[in-house]
Amino acid sequence: MDGNGRWAEGRGLDRLSGHAAGAEAVLKAIEASSELGIEYLSLYAFSLDNFKRPKREIFGIFGIIADFLEEKLIPLVKAKNYRLRFIGDLQSLPPDLLGSVSKANVAGLNNSGMTIIIALGYSGRAEIAAAFNYILERRVLDSDMSPVTYEEIERSLSTAMLPDPDAVVRYGGYQRLSDFLPLQTVYSELFFLDKLWPDFEKRDLYEISGKFERIRRNYGNIN
Ligand code: FPP
């Protein structure tokens, strides 16, 4: 969801207005995904590297996300039967945002509809290191010298039990993944849009879905 800052700056507004507009765009993206029958929607809301930004912007974004969870997402999850998962270093978040995250977690607990995954304080590299340390600890405790398999690594990631993304969509004109699900996206179809995230329109996702349907996915095989 890139381009919030540039969207605001282009209008002579404070960058935080761009993030607020970005949160409105998230609602449209959820609605479009639901209409398209997408079962898992992951939103990269805040990376571990985003902590390098000025404090005012960081806490501004956290405030916008907390309000979004409390006022928009929790009621929506209850009304539409959505499931919610949070991934990332949640301990890096301030207590008030963590409180909203916990409430949101509970709201979708017994639901069975579309799963919305929100990455907060997320870093793919940190996730891989944590998975390796978890595996290492178990190996040492069990005096187990057997080779580590990819399946074991997969089970130790924060996305355990979730399918790998079929597609990744990045707004904002850059063609990179910025530490987003590096292992899980090895076979994902990548879509890069030049438009800025707050300019999201439902038809973007409809068009991408159409393109995706026409792609033959071989996973290294033929046909
Ligand atoms: C990247 O744009 C965006 C972010 C770091 C924050 C994303 C946050 C939201 C969309 C707010 C709402 C999220 C949820 C889940 C409610 P940027 O600031 O890097 O933009 P720039 O490249 O134009 O500076």
Side-chain angles (χ1 to χ4, degrees):
M1 299 185 285
D2 196 16
N4 294 350
R6 278 167 285 158
W7 183 91
E9 282 157 11
R11 285 168 173 72
L13 301 169
D14 185 275
R15 287 179 58 86
L16 287 178
S17 310
H19 296 306
E24 292 302 319
V26 169
L27 280 181
K28 286 194 262 175
I30 292 174
E31 212 175 284
S33 305
S34 176
E35 288 166 10
L36 283 162
I38 287 168
E39 290 177 72
Y40 296 87
L41 171 69
S42 306
L43 300 162
Y44 197 9
F46 197 85
S47 73
L48 211 52
D49 283 329
N50 286 149
F51 275 105
K52 294 171 187 161
R53 294 184 180 210
K55 282 210 161 40
R56 184 179 175 276
E57 177 161 344
I58 296 172
F59 284 95
I61 293 175
F62 287 164
I64 289 166
I65 296 177
D67 289 348
F68 175 86
L69 294 178
E70 300 269 351
E71 291 162 21
K72 306 275 170 62
L73 198 58
I74 293 176
L76 197 64
V77 158
K78 288 180 180 165
K80 301 277 187 181
N81 192 35
Y82 296 147
R83 291 187 293 189
L84 259 186
R85 281 271 299 265
F86 290 87
I87 58 170
D89 179 10
L90 301 182
Q91 297 315 312
S92 67
L93 306 176
D96 44 347
L97 176 55
L98 203 52
S100 304
V101 166
S102 308
K103 267 197 232 170
N105 249 330
V106 175
L109 217 53
N110 295 315
N111 291 352
S112 54
M114 178 172 79
T115 303
I116 300 170
I117 299 131
I118 302 183
L120 285 175
Y122 178 82
S123 154
R125 287 179 170 177
E127 178 187 40
I128 292 169
F132 273 69
N133 282 317
Y134 174 70
I135 292 169
L136 183 67
E137 198 178 298
R138 276 197 323 221
R139 284 286 192 286
V140 170
L141 282 173
D142 300 343
S143 303
D144 178 1
M145 295 289 283
S146 63
V148 174
T149 62
Y150 181 68
E151 285 66 33
E152 196 177 358
I153 297 170
E154 202 173 28
R155 282 198 304 273
S156 310
L157 296 173
S158 64
T159 50
M161 315 293 286
L162 294 171
D164 286 343
D166 284 319
V168 177
V169 182
R170 181 182 182 131
Y171 280 67
Y174 299 119
Q175 305 201 356
R176 55 182 180 240
L177 294 182
S178 302
D179 207 14
F180 183 61
L181 303 176
L183 291 182
Q184 299 89 332
T185 53
V186 290
Y187 275 112
S188 303
E189 304 299 329
L190 308 179
F191 297 90
F192 297 102
L193 277 69
D194 285 332
K195 65 199 286 190
L196 307 174
W197 174 251
D199 292 325
F200 174 92
E201 293 172 286
K202 278 173 152 190
R203 70 158 177 225
D204 302 341
L205 221 47
Y206 275 84
E207 280 171 19
I208 288 167
S209 171
K211 282 184 194 161
F212 177 83
E213 294 294 331
R214 290 190 289 277
I215 296 170
R216 200 168 55 199
R217 305 179 78 205
N218 292 339
Y219 301 98
N221 203 336
I222 47 168
N223 288 326

